[in-house]
Amino acid sequence: DQQVKQNSPSLSVQEGRISILNCDYTNSMFDYFLWYKKYPAEGPTFLISISSIKDKNEDGRFTVFLNKSAKHLSLHIVPSQPGDSAVYFCAASRTTSGTYKYIFGTGTRLKVLA
Amino acid sequence: ETGVTQTPRHLVMGMTNKKSLKCEQHLGHNAMYWYKQSAKKPLELMFVYNFKEQTENNSVPSRFSPECPNSSHLFLHLHTLQPEDSALYLCASSSTAAGGSTDTQYFGPGTRLTVL
């Protein structure tokens, strides 16, 4: 049973437009969420995170939104650039139990078209 | 060298071979992790070491044997693997393994393993 789901395996967006990547989770005990970006032949790179006490966190062109009632988070990239083309993974964890376990989604491949 | 490095980047081995994967982190972290990524599956946590002590073995078969001689180095010893063990093996490190915003995990580039 997958606790973290990324239902869109791929997404294409025009350069300059907004990219929205979605992630759903089932475990209401998750309280810390992260997004990683992965280029081919490289490991995942940490992008942005959010704690469950917030509903939004911004870092430059990247914003993560958390809707706890819907158990849904999204990553917005504005404006999208061709260099953003990569696979994006969301991950969730339960920090209150002192656990380090990240549960990852299967990833969404973003392609930004020039 | 900075960040998390892994060697080799690619490995092809037969089912009767013994090989080792190496991970080194240059971030001053105290926790290190092994993950497995199979095609179209999420990253799966295999092992966790915190201050050189193994704190997690996620029901990994004994043909995978980790070793953490110090906080900067992590090995994964492989023997008598099966073709279904072919995957990308990723190493990560974090400040500690306590969880939370201060323990963000940073990944190496991975070793692409093919078992024939």
Side-chain angles (χ1 to χ4, degrees):
Chain A
D1 177 37
Q2 238 176 291
Q3 297 186 68
V4 177
K5 297 179 184 177
Q6 293 176 258
N7 292 317
S8 299
S10 63
L11 174 69
S12 290
V13 170
Q14 208 65 36
E15 181 180 7
R17 307 294 290 268
I18 184 171
S19 295
I20 300 177
L21 297 102
N22 295 303
C23 181
D24 297 295
Y25 60 96
T26 57
N27 189 340
S28 58
M29 300 298 289
F30 288 144
D31 59 0
Y32 185 60
F33 304 88
L34 309 95
W35 284 94
Y36 281 84
K37 177 170 75 172
K38 186 179 184 301
Y39 293 118
E42 293 183 16
T45 303
F46 170 70
L47 197 56
I48 193 169
S49 63
I50 188 167
S51 164
S52 61
I53 61 173
K54 294 185 173 183
D55 53 19
K56 176 182 173 181
N57 188 25
E58 224 171 320
D59 183 1
R61 296 186 296 114
F62 302 92
T63 303
V64 56
F65 293 92
L66 176 63
N67 182 333
K68 289 186 291 292
S69 59
K71 297 193 186 70
H72 177 84
L73 66 154
S74 60
L75 175 69
H76 293 210
I77 307 173
V78 184
S80 301
Q81 298 174 354
D84 297 329
S85 297
V87 178
Y88 290 78
F89 295 95
C90 67
S93 73
R94 287 180 55 188
T95 63
T96 49
S97 63
T99 183
Y100 35 73
K101 280 190 178 181
Y102 288 0
I103 307 298
F104 282 87
T106 51
T108 296
R109 183 177 302 277
L110 173 67
K111 191 171 185 179
V112 179
L113 307 169
Chain B
E1 206 60 89
T2 59
V4 181
T5 58
Q6 289 186 244
T7 55
R9 295 294 308 274
H10 300 271
L11 179 62
V12 179
M13 60 186 289
M15 288 191 283
T16 57
N17 291 158
K18 286 186 182 181
K19 296 285 184 184
S20 295
L21 310 184
K22 179 183 174 183
C23 175
E24 184 172 0
Q25 59 92 4
H26 309 267
L27 300 169
H29 288 165
N30 295 297
M32 297 187 78
Y33 311 74
W34 279 117
Y35 283 86
K36 175 184 178 183
Q37 186 179 26
S38 304
K40 297 186 180 177
K41 285 189 177 180
L43 275 74
E44 299 172 58
L45 181 65
M46 299 175 72
F47 301 104
V48 181
Y49 279 82
N50 197 28
F51 294 93
K52 300 189 296 178
E53 298 297 319
Q54 187 181 124
T55 55
E56 177 83 18
N57 176 338
N58 202 23
S59 304
V60 180
S62 59
R63 56 186 184 269
F64 295 92
S65 173
E67 178 191 1
C68 187
N70 55 61
S71 292
S72 299
H73 293 86
L74 185 64
F75 295 89
L76 188 62
H77 304 299
L78 317 170
H79 62 100
T80 59
L81 294 192
Q82 305 297 312
E84 59 264 29
D85 296 321
S86 298
L88 180 68
Y89 288 85
L90 289 159
C91 172
S93 72
S94 65
S95 181
T96 70
S101 59
T102 57
D103 284 333
T104 299
Q105 294 176 29
Y106 295 88
F107 286 82
T111 296
R112 173 70 62 187
L113 174 67
T114 303
V115 182
L116 301 176

